[in-house]
Structure formats: C-alpha cells, structure tokens
Amino acid sequence: MLKQLSINNYALINQLSIDFSSGLSIITGETGAGKSILLGALGLVLGNRADLSSLKDTSRKCIVEAKLAISNYSLEDFFDEVDLDYEAETIIRREILPSGKSRAFVNDTPVTLSVLNELRSKLIDVHSQHQTMQLSDTNFQFSILDALAKNGERIASYKRGYQQLNQLKKELSELEQQQREANQQYDYNLHLFKELEEAKILVDEQEELETTLEKLNNIEDIKLNLSEALEISINEEIGVQNLLNTLENRLFKIADFSKEYQEISGRITSVKIEIDDIVAELETANENVDFNPNEAEQINDRLQLLYNLQKKHYVNSNEELLVIFEGLSHKVAQVESAEDVINQKKKEIDGVSEKLDKVANLISKARNNAIPKLTKELQSLLADLGMENARFSININPTKSYFSNGKDELEFLFSANKGGNFGELKKVASGGELSRIMLSVKKVLSANTQLPTIIFDEIDTGVSGEVSNKIAAIMKQMSTNMQVIAITHLPQIAAKGNNHYKVYKEEVNGVTTTNLKQLSTDERIVEIAQMLSGKNISDSAITHAKELLN
C-alpha cells in the first residue's frame, strides 16, 4: 500500500509530504484546488512521461518519491527478474532535471520506465471515469471471470505451455523453411558433393604431383646431368674417385711423420667415403631415370582436375576444397534427414498441445462454473447502486484456437433496462452506468483477488442521494481487503473515510501553491458541512455533517 508521497517542485506544488494509512482515505477540495496535480505527481513517480512543464521552478529539479509497503504482494520473484533489491518498504523516486532529462529509481537503483510501469501495475490501480472503457476490453473481462473462477494457477500453467508451444511451432516453421530452401539446392549440392567425393582429394596431393610432373617434364636434362656427373666421378683418368684414391695414397705414406699429416689424411679418407656414397646414389638415380609418357599424362590430368575444381569453387588449395566438401556433405545430409527431424518436432508439438488442451479444458470448466456467481454478484451490486434492471449475459464459447489465456472466446453482454436487448457494454451503457459497473467489478475483484492499492478519481460523478451512500458503502467494504483512496465531491462518501485529506490552494508572496493536509475531526466536520451547503456553512449543515461522520 502507499505509505507516503513526497513532492518537490512539481506544477503548483512547492514542497509537500503526506502519510497514508490502510483502510479508506478520502481526498476532497474545491474545483481547481489541485486534485489532478496530486494524481499527476503520483502518475509521474509510477512511470508516466514527463517534460519541463512539470517543473514549478525550471531552475531546480523536480523530485517525486513514493514509499510503498509491498510485503503482501509476493513480488520477490519480479524483483529478481528485473535485477532489483527487494525491500518490504520500497521507495520509488522520479527526478526531472532542469535540462528536461528524467531519471527513475527503485530502492536507489536506476530503472527504465518500462520496468516502472510493470511494477506500477502490481502496486497501484488509478481508476478514473475515462478508464471505464476498459470494461469493453476482452482481456479485462476474462480477468474478472478468472478471478472468481480461481484460475490463477491454471492460467499460469497454461501460459508456460503456451509459450513452449509457440516456441516449438516457431522452430518447426524454421525447419520447414530451411528444408524448402535446401530442397531447391539439393540436386545441385548433391552433384557438387559427388563430384568432390569421386575426386578423392588429399590435402598434400597437389604439391607432390606438381613436383613429380616438374621432374618428368625435365627428364632429359636430369638424365644428361646425372650421366655427366657419374662420368666426372668414375672416369679412370680424371674421375673424382681416382683422384681421391691417389690423394689418399700420397698422404697415407707420410701420415706417420706428423700428427698434422695424420689429420689431413683422415679428412681425405672421410671425403673419399662421402664421395663413394654419392657416386653410389648417382648410379642408382641414373638407373631409375625412366621417362614414362603415360605417367606424365596421368599426373597432368589429375592436376588439371584439381585446378578445375578449385576454380569452380573459388579456392586456391585442396585444403579449402575439403572444407567445401564437408559443407556440402552437411547440406545433403540435412535434406535427407530433414523429414525425420520435422516429424520429431511435430510429435513434440502434438505432445505439448495435448497437455495444453487438458489445462484449457479445466480453465474453461471453471469459467463456466463461475459465470452464475459473477452475474449474480454484479447484478446485486448494481441493484444497490440504482440499476435494478441491470442484467448480464456472459457466455463462454470453446474454440480450437490457442489464445494467451486459454481456448475460449468470451461474450460479455449487458442490458440496463427491463426487457431491453443485450449488447456490448460500450454501446448500451451510459458513462454513469459504466462508472457504477466498474465500481461493482472492482468490488468483486477485491473480494476474490489481492488487488493493489486502488485510487478512485471522482468515480461518483453524476450520482447523488441513496446511490452515493451505496457507493460509499462499497468503497468502505473494499477497504477492508485493500487500501482505497477516493477523490470525491460527495459528502456521503467523504464521511465514510478512515482518514480525510484536503487539497487547497494558497497564495504566498504573490505565488499560488497547492497543498494537501490531513484533517482533524473538527476540520472534517467543517469540510463536510461546506460540501453540503457551500462556503456559508449553516448550523443544519454542521449537524448533518456530524450525523454523517457518526
């Protein structure tokens, strides 16, 4: 409930702080005194849009702060979801800077207006005459019926399944779209896949083939140079081997005369061994050199195939071709297995739909069971409010479609006159009738749900006499379950309040300001007497005021 409202530098309010309590609180004041300003400030702190026109003094910032007791609203999970610190006494603060920038805080943590508005819907319901059009909103009508049907947990369960169903349907749609797109490319992708598969590409193959082809293309030069190298190595007269043999013999003969000669002789021997090995390899290489035109042609064809595939797929290596091959493999396999995946997804959808149908049937059954009770309570309340012939025709029509709150369509019709035809509320009910219907609805809701604080903004406009007494009685009954704040111009309603506040204007140093104060018992008598007889208060008005308060 709202415990305190503090306002600084807003509209005609310079500085104001007022405490509220449980039960029924009444706010009165002359026309133009600033009751709408008070509601404007409350709306601002609860998330309404703001601009510089809200500032009384544009050189200073405007601050509106509301302290609310929220321990009875089970909001811990919501605070966790929006990453806010939960406090049993939560403080919401809104600031408008002279620059026009607006900031909002919940327990000193900055929040967006969307979070603030979401929190607002759970804490305070500000009801004015123009909001009676909400009665024609199907979702609001369902909320009334579901409150009496005690459908809260069933609808919460249904919504979880509904979200799951929508997600599965979205996934199925995406799979089917992917399949359509993949099917369009399937034949071409399959052709490309098989082409690469038949090519049996190896990562290092190209480099090896290019080296072998280069060798085959230069086979004559290789053969000539190998032969000449062998000739230089093994020629009996000037060959390297014979020369090294002679050199080795010469140094061997003098090796014993000096350590130096021994080392040189050893080195020559090492060189001779190395040369002998080289000559042996040259002989083998020379013997193996054999030009095979078929081999060259085969290698050339293989390389040309690889080059063509690389060009076709806009890559420069076999490694990149293999990556494309893997991608094509996945695309082909995806199409070939898509039907199984889609069928599995459809089975999941059928399973969730079956469970959802069961919950929807329970919701629908509870709604049908609650209709007689809702109709009876609303008609009884409206009869007390001077609408003895008011009748409701409420019908539930099951459908095959899934909606966010079940599978029902709701027909919520009204007739204000005896023998009159039923019609939509907005078409057959007047403004005054809509106000009384909304009050009756709120009364029913307050008895069946944990409504937040409710503020009635002159909902009693256009009524008087005994009806005003009934309106006051209903508000009083509602205040036993919740905090009710009523802005009224009727003394019968004002007298029912546990607390009474007056909005008034005063002029200080030529500047008009709006203030709000809580009235004492004597001040309430005067205020109610003034509401009865005007500024010139008569003794009978005072007596009547006392009677109303008693």
Side-chain angles (χ1 to χ4, degrees):
M1 72 173 193
L2 179 65
K3 293 194 70 176
Q4 187 181 69
L5 181 66
S6 300
I7 306 170
N8 285 280
N9 195 34
Y10 177 79
L12 293 180
I13 298 174
N14 184 36
Q15 185 171 2
L16 184 154
S17 181
I18 195 76
D19 294 327
F20 292 93
S21 58
S22 58
L24 175 61
S25 294
I26 299 297
I27 298 176
T28 60
E30 295 179 2
T31 301
K35 297 186 291 294
S36 61
I37 293 175
L38 197 66
L39 282 179
L42 184 60
L44 185 68
V45 78
L46 294 174
N48 287 354
R49 293 286 174 183
D51 54 49
L52 281 174
S53 63
S54 302
L55 276 64
K56 178 177 175 61
D57 180 352
T58 55
S59 66
R60 296 187 296 116
K61 70 179 176 181
C62 162
I63 302 175
V64 182
E65 190 172 275
K67 181 188 291 185
L68 302 112
I70 65 172
S71 58
N72 294 329
Y73 298 148
S74 302
L75 293 175
E76 291 86 348
D77 289 343
F78 171 77
F79 273 68
D80 284 340
E81 288 173 13
V82 296
D83 197 24
L84 287 173
D85 292 331
Y86 176 83
E87 299 288 346
E89 281 198 355
T90 283
I91 296 176
I92 303 175
R93 186 173 79 256
R94 188 82 181 276
E95 298 179 356
I96 306 172
L97 306 179
S99 63
K101 183 179 179 181
S102 169
R103 300 186 300 186
F105 304 85
V106 174
N107 296 329
D108 288 327
T109 299
V111 295
T112 62
L113 289 188
S114 61
V115 170
L116 205 56
N117 274 298
E118 200 172 348
L119 182 59
R120 165 196 197 151
S121 66
K122 302 175 186 298
L123 296 175
I124 295 182
D125 178 9
V126 179
H127 177 71
S128 57
Q129 278 185 300
H130 74 273
Q131 286 176 308
T132 54
M133 297 311 297
Q134 189 181 19
L135 284 167
S136 299
D137 180 72
T138 302
N139 288 328
F140 183 71
Q141 293 170 354
F142 265 121
S143 70
I144 303 167
L145 184 56
D146 286 328
L148 266 75
K150 308 297 181 185
N151 264 335
E153 290 186 9
R154 284 185 283 268
I155 289 178
S157 174
Y158 175 89
K159 284 185 174 180
R160 289 192 293 270
Y162 181 66
Q163 290 173 351
Q164 186 182 4
L165 180 65
N166 285 339
Q167 179 62 33
L168 288 172
K169 286 182 175 180
K170 179 182 176 183
E171 291 171 4
L172 176 62
S173 176
E174 290 173 351
L175 284 172
E176 290 175 334
Q177 177 62 25
Q178 289 170 7
Q179 187 186 33
R180 285 191 292 270
E181 293 172 357
N183 282 337
Q184 292 173 357
Q185 298 291 324
Y186 175 72
D187 291 338
Y188 182 59
N189 286 335
L190 182 61
H191 166 71
L192 294 178
F193 169 74
K194 287 185 175 179
E195 189 177 49
L196 290 174
E197 185 180 41
E198 291 170 1
K200 293 182 172 57
I201 298 166
L202 303 174
V203 176
D204 299 326
E205 177 186 14
Q206 182 178 336
E207 185 178 351
E208 293 175 1
L209 289 174
E210 288 173 341
T211 301
T212 303
L213 185 61
E214 181 73 12
K215 178 181 175 182
L216 290 173
N217 288 338
N218 293 279
I219 197 71
E220 292 181 1
D221 284 345
I222 293 171
K223 184 71 174 177
L224 176 62
N225 283 286
L226 283 174
S227 298
E228 290 181 353
L230 275 173
E231 180 62 26
I232 293 170
S233 300
I234 63 176
N235 188 282
E236 293 182 359
E237 295 180 3
I238 60 170
V240 173
Q241 277 186 320
N242 287 332
L243 292 175
L244 281 174
N245 286 336
T246 302
L247 181 59
E248 184 183 32
N249 289 333
R250 294 290 184 271
L251 289 172
F252 180 74
K253 291 178 180 180
I254 64 172
D256 292 337
F257 299 126
S258 165
K259 187 176 181 180
E260 179 184 359
Y261 302 154
Q262 286 178 351
E263 290 178 358
I264 294 173
S265 176
R267 290 169 68 188
I268 289 297
T269 300
S270 297
V271 171
K272 182 178 177 298
I273 293 171
E274 181 67 19
I275 288 296
D276 289 344
D277 286 342
I278 291 173
V279 169
E281 291 184 16
L282 282 172
E283 288 174 338
T284 301
N286 191 45
E287 290 173 1
N288 291 335
V289 171
D290 182 24
F291 179 70
N292 184 345
N294 292 331
E295 182 185 2
E297 185 179 356
Q298 290 172 359
I299 292 174
N300 195 60
D301 290 345
R302 178 64 178 174
L303 282 171
Q304 195 58 50
L305 173 63
L306 296 178
Y307 295 152
N308 289 340
L309 289 172
Q310 290 172 11
K311 182 178 180 181
K312 186 174 186 176
H313 292 282
Y314 301 98
V315 296
N316 298 308
S317 68
N318 280 9
E319 188 174 2
E320 291 173 293
L321 277 179
L322 288 171
V323 172
I324 289 173
F325 176 69
E326 288 297 321
L328 288 168
S329 174
H330 175 72
K331 289 178 181 178
V332 169
Q334 186 180 33
V335 173
E336 293 174 348
S337 63
E339 199 64 36
D340 291 337
V341 176
I342 288 174
N343 287 335
Q344 180 59 37
K345 190 64 66 176
K346 287 179 177 178
K347 286 182 181 178
E348 290 182 52
I349 289 174
D350 290 342
V352 172
S353 297
E354 186 178 347
K355 293 178 182 177
L356 210 54
D357 288 344
K358 290 179 181 178
V359 180
N361 287 336
L362 292 174
I363 292 171
S364 186
K365 183 178 179 180
R367 285 169 174 167
N368 277 297
N369 290 338
I371 287 174
K373 180 182 178 183
L374 175 60
T375 302
K376 181 179 179 181
E377 288 191 20
L378 288 178
Q379 290 176 175
S380 175
L381 286 166
L382 289 173
D384 287 342
L385 294 174
M387 297 173 65
E388 296 84 359
N389 296 315
R391 294 291 181 270
F392 286 92
S393 175
I394 304 172
N395 297 297
I396 291 294
N397 302 311
T399 72
K400 293 183 178 180
S401 302
Y402 292 98
F403 305 115
S404 61
N405 63 349
K407 298 181 69 177
D408 295 328
E409 288 181 344
L410 177 63
E411 187 180 55
F412 202 104
L413 303 178
F414 175 74
S415 173
N417 303 308
K418 193 171 185 178
N421 294 325
F422 286 98
E424 294 180 33
L425 279 166
K426 62 182 177 182
K427 294 181 179 179
V428 299
S430 67
E433 288 170 339
L434 285 173
S435 291
R436 280 177 273 179
I437 293 170
M438 179 60 94
L439 178 62
S440 300
V441 165
K442 296 291 185 180
K443 169 63 173 65
V444 171
L445 288 175
S446 70
N448 290 276
T449 61
Q450 195 175 45
L451 280 178
T453 294
I454 188 166
I455 299 176
F456 288 110
D457 180 17
E458 298 189 350
I459 195 174
D460 49 27
T461 299
V463 299
S464 58
E466 185 57 29
V467 173
S468 63
N469 287 327
K470 295 293 185 179
I471 290 176
I474 289 174
M475 288 184 179
K476 188 69 174 178
Q477 289 173 355
M478 290 176 66
S479 71
T480 60
N481 298 321
M482 60 186 297
Q483 182 187 42
V484 179
I485 299 174
I487 297 173
T488 183
H489 64 279
L490 293 179
Q492 294 91 336
I493 294 176
K496 291 287 186 180
N498 302 102
N499 302 287
H500 192 154
Y501 303 87
K502 180 176 182 177
V503 180
Y504 63 97
K505 282 182 180 178
E506 60 181 353
E507 188 175 308
V508 180
N509 298 324
V511 178
T512 301
T513 60
T514 290
N515 283 299
L516 177 72
K517 70 174 182 178
Q518 185 171 359
L519 300 181
S520 65
T521 301
D522 290 340
E523 288 171 329
R524 288 189 73 181
I525 293 171
V526 173
E527 176 69 8
I528 292 172
Q530 194 170 11
M531 294 172 73
L532 288 165
S533 64
K535 289 187 177 180
N536 298 319
I537 302 173
S538 64
D539 291 339
S540 61
I542 291 290
T543 301
H544 191 185
K546 289 179 179 179
E547 290 175 353
L548 287 175
L549 284 169
N550 289 330

